[in-house]
Amino acid sequence: MNSYGDSSSPRGRAQIPGQHGDPGGDARGGGWSAAQEGTAPAGRASVAPRAAGAGRASVGGSASVPQRGAPASGSASAAVPPRGGSAAGSASVGSASVGRAGPGRASVPVSPAPAAGRAAGAGRASVPVSPAASGSAGRATVGTAAVGAASAGRASVGSAAVGGVSGRATARASVSPASGGPGGPGGPTGPGRRARGAGDPAGAARAKKRKRVNLLIASFAVFIMLAGLGVVGFTYYSTNVVLPEDTTPPQATTLYASDNKTIIAKVGTQNRTLVTIDQIPTHVQDAVAAAEDRNFYEHSGVDYKGIVRAAWNNVSGGSKQGASTITQQYARNAFDNLKDDTYARKVKEAILASKLNDEYTKPQIMQHYLNIIYFGRGAHGIEAAAQTYFGRPANKLSVAEGAVLAALIKQPEANAGHKGYDPAVNPTDAKSRWEYVISGMVAEGWLNAPGKPQAPTLAEYPTKTLRKPSQGGAGIDYGVNTPYGNVINYVKQEMRDKGICVDKEDQVTDAKPLCSQALMSGGYKIRTTIDTKIQKAAVETAQRSRKGSELSDQPPNLMAAVVAIEPKNGRVLAYYGGDNGTGTDYAGKNTDASGNPYGGHPPGSSFKIYTLAAALKEGKALESRWKGRAFTPKGTKFKVSNAGVDNPECGDSCTLTVSTLKSLNVPFYHVTETIGPDKVVDMAAKAGVSMMWRSDTNPPKGYDLTKTDPKDIAPSPFFHVVGYGQYPITVLDHANGVATFANQGRYHKAHFLYSVEKRDELTGKWKKIADEGSLKGEQRIDKNVVADVTSVLEQYPARVDHKLDDGRKAASKTGTWELKSNSDDNGDAWMIGYTPQIATAVWVGNVKDRKPLKLKNGTKISGGNLPGTIWERFMDEAHKVKDWEKKDFPPAANVGDPNTGNGEAPPPPPPPSGPPNCDPLGLFCPPGGGNNGGGNNGGGNPPGGPTAPTTPTDPRPGRDGGGGGLLPSLTPRPDND
């Protein structure tokens, strides 16, 4: 039906009077005064004509008024005169939908009435508004019109733009009776409703009452509308928007290897790394806009068209839509109180979006949005998503890859209603959504346009570069469940030590968060000291689960730990203490449920390097002689012996050199007793041993050697047996001590932190907030003392058949400790050693309960076999990957007095004619030097020094240098009697 007025129309139309005066003013209709007194024919309603220049609003729906058969008395009738012709008809005018105002007249087409008598109920009229005469079109709202028995209701036309100026137009239509009094029947003096006669007081009273009720209802409606507007306005102006620079979303901390490029771990409550807009390619930004908000660069933060469309869809029973813009999505994800799915939340979300749009530019909003939105697989923000899905930073994403990530935003993970758009989970829908994004970019001119990239085809979907969920990547706990997990734990501790974080809440500042939360939400970039190539060598050599490792086919109770340190600076190059950072760290300190530290292992004879250095420092010489035969110390109830040998070949005249190479326990007990066990403990602490545990408590009690005076803990609880390694220490500490010897006595604390950086949220640049500090080190042990110790230890690799490749010189020492008191089995086995470039400690023991250490063929494990094999293989590989040059150690300084031991004078030299029972040419003399096997039977070289080993048939089993002997697990106490 044509909705515009037509004077020749055969059907009567109610004409809305036009506004008078300035078309820019508030237009009010003159009222639908049908059949003006004495002028209008019966059965018609006349409408005043519009003023010249007034715009015309077209009312689209038809309305019906009870039709009269004839102007009979007592019937409720109305006649509306058309502008041109005449036609009988009556109308009930209802609500009208929003239209647009335009030039011309407003006409209400009237349909024939269904029957004479009572008026039909109120109908609804849809009022499309035509464009204005000039300028932009305005908006018009038509209210509800209620039609009574003989009168049409009210129709209000909302805001209409006339002549380019927005105004208000209200039209009222009242249908006059055909006869009687002023205005005909039904007027003030004529018959009223239900064909009541003229002058009916009851009818007048009811009409008056209805009028009052209508006024009250209208007043209440106006109040509600004004109140709603007031609430919205108050909310807008009173809402305190927390701007993005005032709130930082949780960011994951990324740990890099020493090259500062290779990611070894990433941890946090949310996997997120903030980036600036210049680090996000334009085509990635455009892909996100094409996927989520194609009008992003045009609207003011809220897409009102989208809201109307979504609201209608929701009300009409369609799928629930949100019509949220990118700005609204950002607000919802950035503020905790916008998580609920309610219309109240929508209102506040829109208000926040408008304020954010006023405060920030579109690129800034896009930056904030892409840093906070979730992409699935635990990745929050575009940088984490790029790393998780494609293994590269966001600034390296291609157009096709950017579109994949943009397609994920709608639903990155599966739920009960949809599988989501992760290509690994739902490839069909993921590709379909990807095509939608690409086509949107083309439609918006962001692809295939001058200066813009070309649109990729479906054949170019980045399947090859797309990672599978099981491939790892930089996920939220990436690295935690790997051998790097223990490195993370040390990084936390060092951040605390450097004051980057604090432990007490009252000390928290913007620059110093709680240590318990620093790594998880601080977004730090941490460069560690770990060398990935050397770390790989350690893991491939010692990890049980690694095929081809030294433990891969050995009994399941065995466990190994390897720590390697760079002597010149203390950087930990490799650390293997277990397969993840959540279990026991076999190379370092752990803390039990009660807060007690644990994790040390008895080092056995490998600890003798500290005892030897302490003796030299106290004026003893390598050639000083000491008693070597087994004995029971005065006041004790235990026997001190060597590894199963009561009377070694050197007897009671064993030099410190021989005692070290043969790992004799008795001479080292005498040395410790002579110089004092505190001197041994002090030397170990100076070298780098930070904690030692007593073994006569359950659980073992640890002592911090960095904070304790050695005289306060030795000889009690650390007795003279400390001289040959009864008391547990960690693999890391032992490696640190060995590194100090490799660095000629200059100490560097073993550390994992190379540097710590924090991102400036305004510039996006990284700022260094901490580093490893001074690398000058501290000369803690005299160089000459160390040179003498090294001159002995560099003879050891050949004695246990663990020389390094290509004749590279190295110094080493083994160590073994008993499983338990009075047992012939071993419970801990070590090999430690160093070159000038790297120092390494290797431990082999039990995974859980202490069991005898045996190889799969039943051979007892000692320092010289399995630990020695791991040490040798690792050291060879480490030097190979680093291509370190061969270096010699400084020559021996021969410090001390050879005549300061408690041993006997050396026996006289043999007669010059040669040993007895030799043939004249000496061709069949028995070889000297005993078994050259590491001292398991106390034999070996004559007093004064070693001889070259003979060719062994199987040199590795048992070649551990004694390993500390069979000693009680409980610390012995002197008998005061």
Side-chain angles (χ1 to χ4, degrees):
M1 177 183 294
N2 185 1
S3 62
Y4 295 93
D6 185 353
S7 61
S8 62
S9 173
R11 302 187 62 189
R13 304 189 179 209
Q15 302 300 328
I16 300 176
Q19 64 184 17
H20 297 272
D22 183 10
D26 184 33
R28 295 287 178 183
W32 288 22
S33 179
Q36 301 291 327
E37 266 185 86
T39 61
R44 298 182 183 272
S46 66
V47 181
R50 301 177 62 89
R56 165 160 41 173
S58 168
V59 182
S62 63
S64 63
V65 177
Q67 185 177 5
R68 299 177 51 137
S73 174
S75 64
S77 60
V80 181
R83 293 185 66 84
S86 64
S90 54
S92 68
V93 183
S95 67
S97 63
V98 175
R100 291 192 178 271
R105 313 179 209 177
S107 61
V108 182
V110 183
S111 61
R118 293 190 52 161
R124 290 193 173 272
S126 173
V127 187
V129 182
S130 59
S134 64
S136 60
R139 294 185 180 274
T141 303
V142 180
T144 302
V147 181
S151 65
R154 297 173 184 265
S156 65
V157 179
S159 174
V162 181
V165 182
S166 176
R168 304 282 301 175
T170 303
R172 177 177 311 189
S174 63
V175 182
S176 300
S179 62
T189 61
R193 204 171 166 180
R194 291 189 176 88
R196 298 190 182 275
D200 182 6
R206 283 191 298 272
K208 188 175 182 180
K209 183 178 180 179
R210 284 196 303 273
K211 186 175 182 179
R212 286 197 302 267
V213 171
N214 289 339
L215 286 173
L216 288 173
I217 293 174
S219 300
F220 182 73
V222 171
F223 172 77
I224 293 298
M225 292 174 62
L226 292 176
L229 291 173
V231 169
V232 171
F234 176 78
T235 303
Y236 181 86
Y237 287 106
S238 64
T239 299
N240 182 23
V241 177
V242 180
L243 300 176
E245 63 263 24
D246 298 326
T247 176
T248 302
Q251 300 179 67
T253 293
T254 305
L255 282 75
Y256 293 83
S258 58
D259 61 8
N260 210 26
K261 296 179 180 179
T262 306
I263 297 176
I264 63 173
K266 193 166 189 177
V267 294
T269 54
Q270 291 183 359
N271 178 19
R272 176 186 287 109
T273 299
L274 297 179
V275 291
T276 53
I277 194 66
D278 60 302
Q279 296 171 306
I280 307 172
T282 301
H283 56 261
V284 175
Q285 301 175 45
D286 293 340
V288 172
E292 296 298 310
D293 185 3
R294 296 185 183 181
N295 294 322
F296 170 69
Y297 296 103
E298 300 170 4
H299 59 62
S300 60
V302 180
D303 188 352
Y304 294 101
K305 291 181 180 179
I307 291 177
V308 172
R309 181 179 61 252
W312 172 253
N313 193 69
N314 296 342
V315 171
S316 62
S319 60
K320 194 167 186 179
Q321 294 183 4
S324 291
T325 65
I326 281 177
T327 313
Q328 288 174 271
Q329 290 183 52
Y330 167 71
R332 185 189 318 145
N333 284 274
F335 306 109
D336 292 335
N337 60 346
L338 293 179
K339 302 300 183 185
D340 56 318
D341 190 14
T342 65
Y343 288 104
R345 185 266 294 170
K346 281 285 187 184
V347 172
K348 191 168 186 180
E349 178 185 293
I351 291 172
L352 290 171
S354 296
K355 284 198 168 187
L356 289 169
N357 193 79
D358 292 342
E359 184 71 24
Y360 294 99
T361 65
K362 291 294 184 179
Q364 287 175 316
I365 292 174
M366 179 65 78
Q367 172 184 307
H368 298 319
Y369 174 77
L370 286 177
N371 274 323
I372 203 169
I373 204 70
Y374 182 59
F375 287 87
R377 298 192 190 180
H380 294 260
I382 189 67
E383 180 69 13
Q387 294 285 358
T388 300
Y389 285 89
F390 295 104
R392 65 187 64 185
N395 61 6
K396 300 295 183 182
L397 290 171
S398 67
V399 174
E401 292 168 342
V404 169
L405 299 183
L408 283 163
I409 297 175
K410 182 177 182 180
Q411 187 180 325
E413 294 175 344
N415 60 23
H418 192 271
K419 292 181 180 179
Y421 295 99
D422 188 327
V425 178
N426 188 10
T428 301
D429 286 354
K431 290 183 179 180
S432 177
R433 180 75 177 164
W434 181 85
E435 289 182 293
Y436 167 79
V437 174
I438 296 296
S439 64
M441 296 176 72
V442 173
E444 296 295 329
W446 297 331
L447 292 178
N448 293 348
K452 298 291 183 178
Q454 290 298 303
T457 64
L458 185 59
E460 297 175 274
Y461 190 84
T463 304
K464 293 182 179 180
T465 58
L466 188 64
R467 289 186 170 188
K468 296 179 180 179
S470 59
Q471 280 188 277
I476 193 63
D477 59 352
Y478 174 66
V480 174
N481 293 319
T482 72
Y484 288 119
N486 286 313
V487 175
I488 299 173
N489 295 331
Y490 280 103
V491 165
K492 291 180 183 178
Q493 179 179 322
E494 291 186 37
M495 290 179 69
R496 176 186 292 106
D497 295 341
K498 289 184 176 294
I500 298 173
C501 59
V502 294
D503 288 323
K504 297 180 179 179
E505 290 192 9
D506 59 355
Q507 298 174 339
V508 172
T509 65
D510 291 339
K512 294 185 178 183
L514 283 173
C515 290
S516 60
Q517 302 173 6
L519 277 185
M520 301 302 287
S521 60
Y524 298 100
K525 180 179 179 181
I526 297 176
R527 181 182 182 185
T528 70
T529 61
I530 297 296
D531 186 299
T532 53
K533 293 181 179 179
I534 298 181
Q535 175 74 12
K536 180 181 178 182
V539 173
E540 289 184 344
T541 304
Q543 187 180 36
R544 167 177 299 285
S545 60
R546 189 63 61 99
K547 185 177 181 180
S549 75
E550 297 300 323
L551 266 71
S552 62
D553 58 349
Q554 295 297 337
N557 66 298
L558 298 182
M559 178 68 196
V562 179
V563 178
I565 296 174
E566 191 169 12
K568 67 180 182 180
N569 48 43
R571 293 171 183 164
V572 180
L573 302 177
Y575 189 95
Y576 177 68
D579 294 335
N580 58 68
T582 59
T584 300
D585 180 2
Y586 292 92
K589 289 185 289 188
N590 303 267
T591 304
D592 64 19
S594 301
N596 301 312
Y598 70 96
H601 315 286
S605 291
S606 65
F607 197 81
K608 291 173 181 174
I609 64 171
Y610 308 118
T611 310
L612 178 58
L616 297 174
K617 181 177 181 293
E618 294 302 313
K620 314 304 178 185
L622 290 177
E623 299 308 309
S624 61
R625 297 181 178 273
W626 302 82
K627 295 179 179 178
R629 294 188 176 93
F631 77 109
T632 300
K634 182 179 180 180
T636 67
K637 299 179 180 179
F638 67 93
K639 180 180 179 181
V640 178
S641 66
N642 303 303
V645 179
D646 285 346
N647 186 17
E649 183 176 343
C650 58
D652 282 337
S653 185
C654 302
T655 65
L656 287 180
T657 298
V658 170
S659 299
T660 300
L661 293 175
K662 292 185 173 295
S663 283
L664 301 178
N665 297 324
V666 176
F668 278 94
Y669 183 93
H670 289 301
V671 167
T672 304
E673 185 179 40
T674 300
I675 66 175
D678 60 303
K679 300 295 193 302
V680 177
V681 173
D682 183 58
M683 180 58 68
K686 279 184 167 60
V689 178
S690 65
M691 180 161 282
M692 186 181 293
W693 283 263
R694 62 191 299 176
S695 52
D696 60 345
T697 61
N698 189 19
K701 181 179 180 180
Y703 291 83
D704 188 341
L705 302 187
T706 66
K707 300 177 180 179
T708 307
D709 188 335
K711 294 180 180 179
D712 295 336
I713 54 177
S716 178
F718 299 124
F719 194 56
H720 305 322
V721 289
V722 70
Y724 45 80
Q726 174 172 315
Y727 304 106
I729 61 174
T730 67
V731 182
L732 174 61
D733 278 357
H734 211 358
N736 202 169
V738 173
T740 301
F741 282 83
N743 197 37
Q744 301 180 46
R746 181 170 290 274
Y747 165 81
H748 289 277
K749 183 178 181 180
H751 60 277
F752 295 80
L753 269 182
Y754 196 111
S755 65
V756 181
E757 296 179 68
K758 180 96 174 157
R759 180 181 171 275
D760 187 307
E761 295 176 11
L762 297 179
T763 65
K765 295 181 179 180
W766 292 93
K767 180 181 179 181
K768 185 180 294 185
I769 61 174
D771 56 29
E772 56 190 343
S774 174
L775 296 178
K776 293 181 180 179
E778 178 185 355
Q779 192 71 41
R780 290 189 171 183
I781 307 173
D782 184 86
K783 287 185 178 182
N784 293 328
V785 169
V786 175
D788 281 1
V789 172
T790 301
S791 70
V792 176
L793 299 183
E794 66 179 325
Q795 302 176 50
Y796 206 79
R799 292 187 63 84
V800 291
D801 196 28
H802 287 304
K803 294 189 296 183
L804 299 185
D805 289 345
D806 301 325
R808 185 183 297 274
K809 289 188 176 182
S812 68
K813 184 70 184 76
T814 58
T816 308
W817 195 256
E818 62 192 9
L819 178 67
K820 56 184 178 179
S821 179
N822 301 320
S823 171
D824 290 335
D825 293 313
N826 296 326
D828 297 273
W830 296 71
M831 177 81 162
I832 61 170
Y834 53 92
T835 65
Q837 294 97 341
I838 188 171
T840 302
V842 175
W843 166 86
V844 172
N846 285 282
V847 174
K848 292 182 180 179
D849 300 331
R850 287 176 69 82
K851 297 180 180 179
L853 299 183
K854 294 183 179 181
L855 299 173
K856 63 180 180 180
N857 62 6
T859 301
K860 291 181 181 180
I861 293 176
S862 60
N865 47 43
L866 183 56
T869 302
I870 294 174
W871 179 86
E872 178 187 349
R873 175 177 165 182
F874 167 76
M875 291 288 279
D876 280 336
E877 186 63 24
H879 286 85
K880 185 184 302 181
V881 299
K882 298 299 292 185
D883 194 26
W884 281 316
E885 63 177 325
K886 296 179 182 178
K887 286 186 176 181
D888 289 337
F889 294 111
N894 298 313
V895 299
D897 183 356
N899 301 313
T900 53
N902 70 348
E904 299 173 353
S913 59
N917 302 323
C918 285
D919 63 285
L921 297 178
L923 299 177
F924 300 103
C925 294
N931 69 345
N932 294 310
N936 283 339
N937 61 3
N941 303 303
T947 59
T950 56
T951 303
T953 55
D954 185 5
R956 296 191 178 187
R959 302 172 68 99
D960 61 329
L966 303 177
L967 296 171
S969 296
L970 297 179
T971 303
R973 292 280 187 268
D975 188 347
N976 295 328
D977 294 337

